[in-house]
Amino acid sequence: MQYLLKITLKDTPVWRLVAVDGTADIAFVAELIAASFAYEKARRVFTVNGVEYRAGNGGDVEDIKELSLFDELHLEQGQSCIYRHNINNDLIHIVEVMKKEDHLFCLMPSTLVGSGLLPKDLPFDLEHINAHFDKDDIDSLDLRECTKRMRALGVQRKDLKESLLRLGSRDLSVKINC
């Protein structure tokens, strides 16, 4: 399935509408979301119906479960979950499934619309983020740049084999005797 997700940084005016493919793994989708917001590398997690799903550390997987497909979270249209890009801070993102279809008519992955360019030079907490948006002279969000960062990663993980090997999987080789 393909998803149109609205990701809102709770209690701020910051949000993104992104398109992702559900056949990408959970950690990779978390990294695509982070790219849309221009977040630094950090641990990421999704919480769906009270269950936490670890979603990598800056794109790298630390557990085989993080390679589960995003589709396996079983999110339906209209349903929401929580995304945290750094599990050590209090910033919470609400992820709402706006559309879930076999094929969305947009390029994957992409940031289609959004609001709020996050400050780079301030502490990353609600107080400083909201104070930043109360100013009159803030830069506007460049959707092309958000999409460019996402597309640099691709639709799905390119290093799946290497990720599996780092997690202790063995390289599969098949020998056929005739």
Side-chain angles (χ1 to χ4, degrees):
M1 300 299 286
Q2 294 180 340
Y3 296 82
L4 195 57
L5 304 173
K6 181 178 182 186
I7 301 109
T8 305
L9 182 53
K10 189 177 177 187
D11 299 325
T12 74
V14 179
W15 63 278
R16 306 283 187 274
L17 188 63
V18 300
V20 297
D21 195 307
T23 60
D25 61 73
I26 295 169
F28 191 75
V29 171
E31 198 60 22
L32 288 171
I33 292 170
S36 180
F37 284 89
Y39 288 152
E40 301 291 325
K41 290 189 178 229
R43 281 199 160 70
R44 311 191 199 291
V45 66
F46 287 101
T47 305
V48 180
N49 296 323
V51 178
E52 281 198 355
Y53 296 88
R54 290 178 35 193
N57 186 352
D60 295 329
V61 294
E62 299 173 325
D63 186 286
I64 193 75
K65 292 177 185 176
E66 296 171 4
L67 291 173
S68 299
L69 301 183
F70 188 75
D71 279 337
E72 293 174 20
L73 294 178
H74 304 290
L75 292 167
E76 298 299 329
Q77 187 167 319
Q79 204 174 4
S80 295
C81 69
I82 294 172
Y83 164 81
R84 288 182 298 166
H85 106 93
N86 181 345
I87 59 175
N88 295 324
N89 71 29
D90 296 327
L91 297 178
I92 294 172
H93 301 72
I94 306 300
V95 179
E96 182 181 354
V97 179
M98 304 301 287
K99 279 191 176 186
K100 177 183 178 182
E101 296 182 1
D102 288 333
H103 180 73
L104 293 174
F105 294 99
C106 61
L107 296 174
M108 296 282 155
S110 57
T111 303
L112 302 172
V113 68
S115 177
L117 182 63
L118 290 167
K120 294 287 184 201
D121 56 345
L122 295 175
F124 200 60
D125 58 41
L126 284 177
E127 179 183 347
H128 287 93
I129 290 170
N130 284 321
H132 172 74
F133 286 103
D134 287 340
K135 297 187 311 187
D136 292 330
D137 59 339
I138 61 170
D139 293 328
S140 61
L141 180 65
D142 184 348
L143 295 173
R144 291 173 302 194
E145 195 58 38
C146 296
T147 296
K148 181 178 163 184
R149 287 190 301 267
M150 291 177 76
R151 293 211 179 131
L153 295 172
V155 176
Q156 295 182 346
R157 178 176 302 281
K158 294 174 184 151
D159 67 341
L160 180 59
K161 180 180 176 181
E162 293 82 8
S163 294
L164 287 168
L165 291 173
R166 272 193 311 273
L167 292 171
S169 296
R170 297 182 118 156
D171 204 3
L172 180 64
S173 61
V174 178
K175 183 178 180 181
I176 299 175
N177 293 324
C178 295

